[in-house]
C-alpha cells in the first residue's frame, strides 16, 4: 500500500516519530541525508506545486527580481515566501537556492527602503507592498545564505517594523483606529491592507522581535468594526454575534468572499481562534463557496485556505476542492493555474501571473498536511 506525501508526513508528525524514525538528521544539504522523498509517493499536488515553482524561476530577471507588471520589490518578496513554502532555502545548492539568494539580494539592496523604513515607495506598492516585504523579512530572519544577508535582513526588518507601528498610530476616526491603508500617513483604514501588516507583526513576534501588545489589541478593535454581523454585549445573547462576515471597510453591510476570508485569518493572527466572529465568518465561508469568477479570487483563496484550515478541526473535502477547482481548471502544464483576466479590471483585481502563482503555492502548501482524502487524485 502506498501513501501520499501529506498522509505519510502527517501520520509521522502526529505520532511524534519523525525524529526517531529517521535517526539523527544531518546538515540540511549533506549528501548523506536521509531523504523524506523515499517515504512517500508524489501526487498531483506535488506536481502542481513544482510547475508553479518552475514558472516563477523562469520569470526571474537578471537583477534577481521576480515580477511582471511592476511592484517588483513586493512581488519578489511574495515569490521568496512562496518558494520557502515548498522548502527552498537561500543556502540550498542548485537552481532553486541560487534563485532565492538572488531574489533576496534584490530586495535587500540599497535604495529600496526609505530612511523612514518604508518599503512601498520605490516600487509603488504602497502599504500593501510594505506589509508583504516586512512579512517576508520576518520569515527569512536568520535564513540568509551568508552572514551579510542575515545582517541586512535584521537591519531592514527593524526599520520596517518601526514604520509599520508608527503608521498604525496615526490619528484617525475611531472606526478606523488600529488599521492601515495605502500610505503610512493615511487617516482611514481597510481590511485588505491591514491583514498584511497584521501577519507581519505576528510573524515578527514569533521571531522574538518587540511587538507591543497594544498594537494587536488596537487591530482587534478595527477588525470588529469591519465585521458585518451584530455583536450582542448584554442580555441572554451577551458575548455572541449574529450571522455575518467581514467587509472591506467598516460600515459596509455586505460581506465578500475575499474580505471574510481575510477577516477570519486576521482574527486568528491576533490569537482569537475562539472568538464568535471567527465562528460566524467560517460559517459564512462554508455557506458561500468561492466561484471561479469571484472578484479578487486569488487573494481570497490565499486567506481562505489558511483560515478555514485553522478553523475546521476535521477538514471537509469541499473547501479544499473549491481551491483545486478555482486554481487548477486551466493550469495545464504552465504552472500558472490561471483564468482569463477581464479587460476592465485593475492591477489589483486582475492579479498578474507571478502573483497568482505565488498565491497558488501558498494555498496548496497550506493543505499538505490535511487528511489524504483531500488530495488531488482523479
Amino acid at each position: 500500500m502506498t501513501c501520499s506525501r501529506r498522509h505519510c508526513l502527517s501520520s509521522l508528525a502526529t505520532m511524534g516519530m519523525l525524529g526517531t524514525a529517521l535517526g539523527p538528521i544531518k546538515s540540511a544539504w549533506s549528501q548523506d541525508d536521509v531523504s523524506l522523498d523515499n517515504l512517500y509517493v508524489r501526487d498531483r499536488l506535488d506536481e502542481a506545486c513544482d510547475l508553479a515553482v518552475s514558472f516563477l524561476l523562469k520569470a526571474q530577471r537578471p537583477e534577481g527580481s521576480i515580477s511582471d507588471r511592476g511592484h517588483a520589490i513586493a512581488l519578489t518578496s511574495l515569490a521568496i515566501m512562496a518558494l520557502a513554502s515548498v522548502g527552498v532555502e537561500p543556502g540550498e545548492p542548485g537552481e532553486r537556492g541560487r534563485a532565492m539568494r538572488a531574489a533576496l539580494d534584490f530586495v535587500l539592496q540599497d535604495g529600496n527602503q526609505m530612511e523612514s523604513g518604508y518599503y512601498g515607495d520605490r516600487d509603488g506598492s504602497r502599504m500593501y507592498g510594505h506589509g508583504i516585504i516586512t512579512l517576508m523579512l520576518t520569515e527569512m530572519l536568520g535564513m540568509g545564505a551568508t552572514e551579510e544577508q542575515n545582517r541586512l535582513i535584521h537591519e531592514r526588518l527593524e526599520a520596517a517594523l518601526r514604520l509599520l507601528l508608527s503608521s498604525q498610530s496615526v490619528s484617525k476616526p475611531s472606526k478606523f483606529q488600529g488599521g492601515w491603508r495605502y500610505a503610512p500617513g493615511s487617516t482611514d483604514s481597510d481590511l485588505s491592507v491591514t491583514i498584511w501588516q497584521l501577519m507581519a507583526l505576528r510573524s515578527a513576534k514569533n521571531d522574538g522581535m518587540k511587538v507591543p501588545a497594544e498594537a494587536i489589541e488596537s487591530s482587534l478593535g478595527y477588525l470588529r468594526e469591519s465585521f458585518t454581523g451584530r455583536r450582542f454585549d448584554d442580555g441572554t445573547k451577551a458575548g455572541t454575534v449574529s450571522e455575518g462576515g467581514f467587509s472591506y471597510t467598516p460600515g459596509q453591510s455586505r460581506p465578500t468572499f475575499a474580505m471574510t476570508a481575510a477577516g477570519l485569518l486576521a482574527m486568528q493572527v491576533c490569537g482569537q481562534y475562539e472568538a464568535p466572529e471567527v465562528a460566524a465568518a467560517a460559517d459564512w465561508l462554508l455557506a458561500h463557496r468561492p466561484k471561479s469568477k469571484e472578484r479578487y479570487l486569488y487573494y481570497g483563496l490565499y486567506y481562505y485556505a489558511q483560515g478555514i484550515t485553522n478553523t475546521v478541526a476535521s477538514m471537509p473535502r469541499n473547501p479544499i476542492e473549491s481551491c483545486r477547482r478555482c486554481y487548477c481548471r486551466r493550469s495545464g502544464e504552465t504552472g500558472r493555474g490561471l483564468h482569463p483576466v477581464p479587460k476592465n479590471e485593475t492591477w489589483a483585481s486582475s492579479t498578474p501571473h507571478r502573483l497568482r502563482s505565488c498565491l497558488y503555492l501558498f494555498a496548496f502548501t497550506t493543505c499538505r498536511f490535511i487528511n489524504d482524502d483531500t488530495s488531488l487524485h482523479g
Side-chain angles (χ1 to χ4, degrees):
M1 177 180 175
T2 61
C3 66
S4 73
R5 165 178 290 191
R6 296 185 305 289
H7 184 272
C8 186
L9 289 184
S10 61
S11 297
L12 285 172
T14 300
M15 292 165 23
M17 293 176 59
L18 194 55
T20 56
L22 302 180
I25 298 179
K26 300 180 182 179
S27 147
W29 307 113
S30 167
Q31 292 182 349
D32 297 327
D33 286 351
V34 175
S35 174
L36 293 179
D37 289 328
N38 295 328
L39 298 177
Y40 47 72
V41 175
R42 290 170 58 81
D43 60 19
R44 287 184 61 201
L45 175 56
D46 298 292
E47 295 169 2
C49 288
D50 285 347
L51 286 171
V53 168
S54 295
F55 180 71
L56 289 175
L57 296 187
K58 290 176 182 177
Q60 189 166 39
R61 298 177 180 179
E63 77 280 7
S65 69
I66 303 175
S67 63
D68 52 3
R69 293 193 195 176
H71 311 297
I73 307 170
L75 284 178
T76 301
S77 296
L78 203 64
I80 290 170
M81 291 189 287
L83 293 172
S85 76
V86 293
V88 181
E89 297 181 23
E92 175 182 339
E95 179 188 14
R96 294 184 176 193
R98 288 193 298 272
M100 180 78 95
R101 291 193 294 277
L104 262 176
D105 283 338
F106 170 76
V107 173
L108 295 171
Q109 67 185 359
D110 292 338
N112 284 345
Q113 187 178 34
M114 296 177 67
E115 187 174 340
S116 64
Y118 186 37
Y119 255 119
D121 184 68
R122 177 72 180 270
D123 69 349
S125 59
R126 301 185 288 183
M127 284 300 290
Y128 276 111
H130 184 83
I132 291 168
I133 297 163
T134 306
L135 177 61
M136 182 278 291
L137 294 173
T138 67
E139 295 297 330
M140 299 308 298
L141 188 64
M143 296 286 289
T146 64
E147 289 186 10
E148 177 63 9
Q149 266 197 345
N150 282 327
R151 182 188 70 79
L152 287 173
I153 290 169
H154 189 271
E155 181 181 287
R156 306 285 197 255
L157 174 58
E158 285 189 322
L161 287 172
R162 286 196 297 270
L163 183 283
L164 194 156
L165 291 169
S166 67
S167 176
Q168 187 191 35
S169 66
V170 170
S171 180
K172 304 178 180 183
S174 59
K175 67 178 181 179
F176 295 127
Q177 288 177 2
W180 291 262
R181 209 169 193 198
Y182 299 126
S186 292
T187 56
D188 58 354
S189 305
D190 75 61
L191 184 52
S192 65
V193 174
T194 295
I195 177 63
W196 288 104
Q197 321 308 317
L198 275 175
M199 288 192 292
L201 285 180
R202 174 61 182 268
S203 185
K205 185 175 181 179
N206 291 347
D207 286 337
M209 306 292 285
K210 292 183 179 179
V211 176
E214 54 267 28
I216 302 300
E217 285 301 315
S218 181
S219 294
L220 274 173
Y222 174 73
L223 292 174
R224 292 190 174 109
E225 289 281 353
S226 302
F227 181 68
T228 62
R230 178 184 175 189
R231 185 178 181 86
F232 301 100
D233 295 319
D234 51 34
T236 58
K237 295 184 178 181
T240 66
V241 297
S242 63
E243 178 181 348
F246 286 86
S247 61
Y248 178 61
T249 57
Q252 295 179 341
S253 59
R254 293 185 179 181
T256 66
F257 166 71
M259 290 300 94
T260 299
L264 171 63
L265 182 59
M267 292 291 291
Q268 294 168 339
V269 162
C270 291
Q272 301 297 300
Y273 296 96
E274 304 299 326
E277 292 89 351
V278 168
D283 287 343
W284 190 94
L285 288 169
L286 291 173
H288 299 81
R289 300 294 166 81
K291 300 177 178 62
S292 60
K293 294 183 179 180
E294 196 83 48
R295 195 179 186 197
Y296 306 113
L297 172 68
Y298 294 88
Y299 292 102
L301 287 176
Y302 166 66
Y303 306 129
Y304 177 78
Q306 297 175 78
I308 286 290
T309 302
N310 289 336
T311 303
V312 183
S314 178
M315 174 59 66
R317 181 180 178 86
N318 284 342
I320 303 307
E321 282 300 296
S322 297
C323 291
R324 182 192 69 81
R325 287 195 306 271
C326 292
Y327 272 113
C328 294
R329 181 166 60 87
R330 295 177 57 92
S331 62
E333 297 181 356
T334 67
R336 298 193 214 175
L338 302 177
H339 292 283
V341 177
K343 293 182 180 179
N344 61 342
E345 291 203 354
T346 63
W347 178 87
S349 60
S350 63
T351 319
H353 296 340
R354 278 56 165 177
L355 178 53
R356 292 187 188 199
S357 292
C358 293
L359 298 176
Y360 162 93
L361 278 172
F362 285 131
F364 278 111
T365 52
T366 297
C367 307
R368 281 184 180 274
F369 296 103
I370 62 175
N371 291 336
D372 189 48
D373 62 3
T374 61
S375 62
L376 304 184
H377 295 298

